[in-house]
Structures are given as structure tokens and as C-alpha cells.
Amino acid sequence: MSATRHPGPPGRPSRPGLTCRSSDTGHPAYSETLPREPESARAARALVRTALAAWGLDELADDGGVVVSELVTNAVRHTRCHALRVTVARTGPGTVRIGVVDRSTVRPVLRAAGPEDTRGRGLALVAALTRRWGTDQLPWGKRVWGELRREGGPGAHRAKASSDSC
């Protein structure tokens, strides 16, 4: 894979942590390093929208925005590193994997939030919106990801929640 700096969307200034790599599928994979702060969810949503627009998969943008927001929020709340990395890769025809990488090795836990709970619904939302989701353990942390697929394509249905890595 070769990495290049991506200038960002037309008419917007370049973002220093934004990169674009060619992937195994021949499509570019986008990633951006962001500070571990709640405001980074906005930049993450912009990255997802940019990638989906580049691939002609705009219909996945709303779900993709929710998925990346929840994954970023979990990383902000549950890790202590200074930065996180958001990745968006096209893994097949009409299929996109959105991930957030952090330096914590603690796996996220899908739990059922009660009606009075103010937290605990993030992974349930990710599971409901994605075809599948999981965690990849890395030597220095983890990547939590969700996979979206264009409706009408092969395997377009949303699968039940799966926290198994692929």
C-alpha cells in the first residue's frame, strides 16, 4: 500500500493528519489521526462522508456518520491516549468498513442499557446499523469497526450483532 497526503474536500483546507492509501480492493482507504476529544466526532463524520461520496456510496452516509460518532465517543470515554485514528476502507462492491483505532487493549462490551441509563447504547447502535462489527486486537491497542453495505447488493441485509474479529 502506498500512502499519500489527501488535500481534503474541494474548497476546504488540507488536514495534516488525513491520508489516503490504496487498498487490496484497488479503492483508496482514508484515515485521519484526531485528538482524543469529543469534538473529533465531527471531523470523523466529515471523513466518512468524503470517502463515501468519492465511492458513490452517499446513501450510507447517515448510518456511517452515526457509526463513526459512536466509535469515536467510545474511544474518547474509555481510553487515555492523546489521539485516535479513524479509518474508512472500501472492502468490496458496495461495502465499507469504518474503524477507530486507539491504544487501549480493553475490548468494548455490548450491553443492554436500561430506560433510565444515560450511557451504554453506542455499541447497540453500531450493531443495529451495521452488517457486522468487531474488534481487531493490535500489538499496541485495538481497532473497533463496523461494516456497512449498500442495500440491494449481495449480503445487504444487516446481520445480528457480532463482536468477533474477522
Side-chain angles (χ1 to χ4, degrees):
M1 274 197 244
S2 62
T4 58
R5 289 272 179 221
H6 190 280
R12 296 176 85 187
S14 177
R15 298 185 336 217
L18 182 65
T19 60
C20 180
R21 296 178 181 265
S22 60
S23 69
D24 296 338
T25 63
H27 297 283
Y30 297 87
S31 65
E32 186 169 6
T33 300
L34 301 169
R36 188 190 60 85
E37 57 190 36
E39 296 79 16
S40 290
R42 181 177 182 183
R45 286 190 301 273
L47 176 66
V48 168
R49 287 187 183 280
T50 297
L52 293 173
W55 298 325
L57 296 171
D58 297 280
E59 69 268 26
L60 300 177
D62 289 340
D63 287 354
V66 172
V67 168
V68 78
S69 292
E70 294 301 333
L71 296 179
V72 166
T73 298
N74 280 351
V76 168
R77 285 187 178 155
H78 301 292
T79 67
R80 297 293 166 243
C81 55
H82 296 290
L84 52 93
R85 187 128 187 106
V86 176
T87 62
V88 188
R90 189 165 177 186
T91 56
T95 305
V96 175
R97 184 174 285 193
I98 299 167
V100 174
V101 179
D102 64 52
R103 297 203 85 24
S104 171
T105 58
V106 178
R107 288 177 162 262
V109 177
L110 177 64
R111 59 188 183 109
E116 302 301 317
D117 292 336
T118 58
R119 291 184 175 178
R121 292 176 179 80
L123 285 179
L125 280 171
V126 170
L129 293 174
T130 60
R131 180 177 162 263
R132 59 188 181 150
W133 71 277
T135 303
D136 298 329
Q137 291 299 138
L138 305 170
W140 43 264
K142 69 177 174 306
R143 176 185 306 107
V144 183
W145 54 267
E147 192 171 87
L148 297 172
R149 184 168 286 191
R150 172 185 279 159
E151 292 297 322
H157 65 283
R158 291 183 179 145
K160 292 186 178 183
S162 167
S163 59
D164 296 333
S165 297
C166 290

